[in-house]
Amino acid sequence: MSIFKSYNNKDPLVVYTVQHSLRQTDVQKRLDEVTLKHKRSAMLGAPEVLQLNANLMQVIGAKKVLDVGVFTGASSLSAALALPADGEVHALDISEEYTNIGKPFWEEAGVAKKIHLHIAPAGETLQRFINEGQVGAFDFAFIDADKVGYDNYYECCLKLIRPGGIIAFDNTLWDGNVINPEDQSADTVALRKLNAKLKDDQRINISFLNFGDGLTLCFKK
Ligand SMILES: C[S@@+](CC[C@H](N)C(=O)[O-])C[C@H]1O[C@@H](n2cnc3c(N)ncnc32)[C@H](O)[C@@H]1O
């Protein structure tokens, strides 16, 4: 469970910022309520992070978005609501069980036709998009699936995103464990390595936000 995501975070200043900025539709609120009762509820994206992503999509005029790691569909729903009528969210996950929870909410919000769900390991789907000639065709990617896969998803997304597009990584603070030297778990080690790599990666400009569970924004040059 991430203590940093606003739905778990009791820090009075975090509570205050969320009270004074979070804008969710009724459907989004109800999807979050359902998801927070799920046994894997800790995977739900922080709503303040999804809102920032949506705002960034709108200011860059995004039309095609990659949502890598869907769970119950909150990130896909938020992205689809932010995109114009002809926008596309390509939602990548391995679990029909999780993503089926979100589908009725996508329908109810009137955005289901914008969301294209790909059930397969994300690395395979991203590679297929590259092979199909979709290099540079996407505007924004939100990477929020298995942490050991992040670096591969990054390299694929760097090809698929256009210059001026954005790749956003969730959980890059990993509940603070990235600075805990005793934590040598595969997920933590992978995130630490990625954070170190992004710092000096000249293919992007970067902002690493202490926001939610850590949100790293990569602006493709
Ligand atoms: C943290 S959750 C995503 C949360 C979602 N973005 C949100 O905002 O609520 C991570 C998701 O990644 C999926 N996942 C895990 N390994 C994967 C893989 N190799 N390829 C695609 N999806 C994967 C899981 O099934 C899970 O639904």
Side-chain angles (χ1 to χ4, degrees):
M1 180 186 89
S2 171
I3 53 167
F4 293 133
K5 295 179 182 180
S6 64
Y7 52 77
N8 291 323
N9 198 328
K10 305 284 180 271
D11 180 322
L13 283 177
V14 172
V15 171
Y16 182 86
T17 59
V18 169
Q19 279 173 346
H20 290 82
S21 64
L22 194 61
R23 298 177 184 179
Q24 288 184 300
T25 65
D26 180 56
V27 180
Q28 286 179 295
K29 285 180 195 161
R30 281 189 284 110
L31 174 56
D32 280 5
E33 279 167 23
V34 166
T35 305
L36 286 169
K37 291 184 187 133
H38 192 277
K39 60 181 185 301
R40 300 296 310 277
S41 64
M43 293 205 294
L44 173 64
E48 65 277 19
V49 165
L50 304 187
Q51 182 171 308
L52 174 57
N53 288 345
N55 286 335
L56 289 169
M57 288 170 203
Q58 291 197 327
V59 293
I60 66 168
K63 280 195 164 186
K64 272 186 92 167
V65 168
L66 290 161
D67 188 35
V68 184
V70 179
F71 188 35
T72 62
S75 47
S76 301
L77 174 59
S78 169
L81 289 168
L83 296 189
D86 60 348
E88 294 175 19
V89 179
H90 289 267
L92 282 50
D93 206 289
I94 45 174
S95 172
E96 301 233 30
E97 183 195 334
Y98 296 155
T99 51
N100 278 342
I101 297 169
K103 283 180 186 169
F105 294 88
W106 300 344
E107 288 287 348
E108 196 184 342
V111 295
K113 63 179 181 312
K114 291 188 207 171
I115 302 175
H116 305 265
L117 185 59
H118 305 269
I119 298 291
E124 288 179 15
T125 304
L126 293 170
Q127 190 57 51
R128 176 165 62 79
F129 290 164
I130 293 167
N131 297 345
E132 287 170 356
Q134 299 207 63
V135 167
F138 291 85
D139 305 290
F140 191 101
F142 182 45
I143 298 182
D144 190 19
D146 56 303
K147 309 311 161 197
V148 292
Y150 269 30
D151 189 35
N152 179 39
Y153 306 151
Y154 174 59
E155 291 299 331
C156 291
C157 287
L158 259 186
K159 295 187 176 118
L160 291 165
I161 297 288
R162 64 165 165 89
I166 298 172
I167 300 170
F169 290 97
D170 202 18
N171 308 111
T172 45
L173 291 176
W174 206 224
D175 243 346
N177 286 311
V178 288
I179 58 165
N180 174 9
E182 283 170 22
D183 187 342
Q184 294 297 328
S185 65
D187 287 345
T188 307
V189 170
L191 286 167
R192 250 184 230 129
K193 275 178 80 173
L194 179 77
N195 290 340
K197 167 176 164 171
L198 295 178
K199 157 84 173 56
D200 293 317
D201 191 332
Q202 295 307 311
R203 298 172 293 178
I204 55 158
N205 291 315
I206 181 170
S207 289
F208 189 162
L209 308 185
N210 183 357
F211 183 58
D213 191 26
L215 181 71
T216 304
L217 298 174
C218 303
F219 304 88
K220 184 173 166 181
K221 291 181 183 173

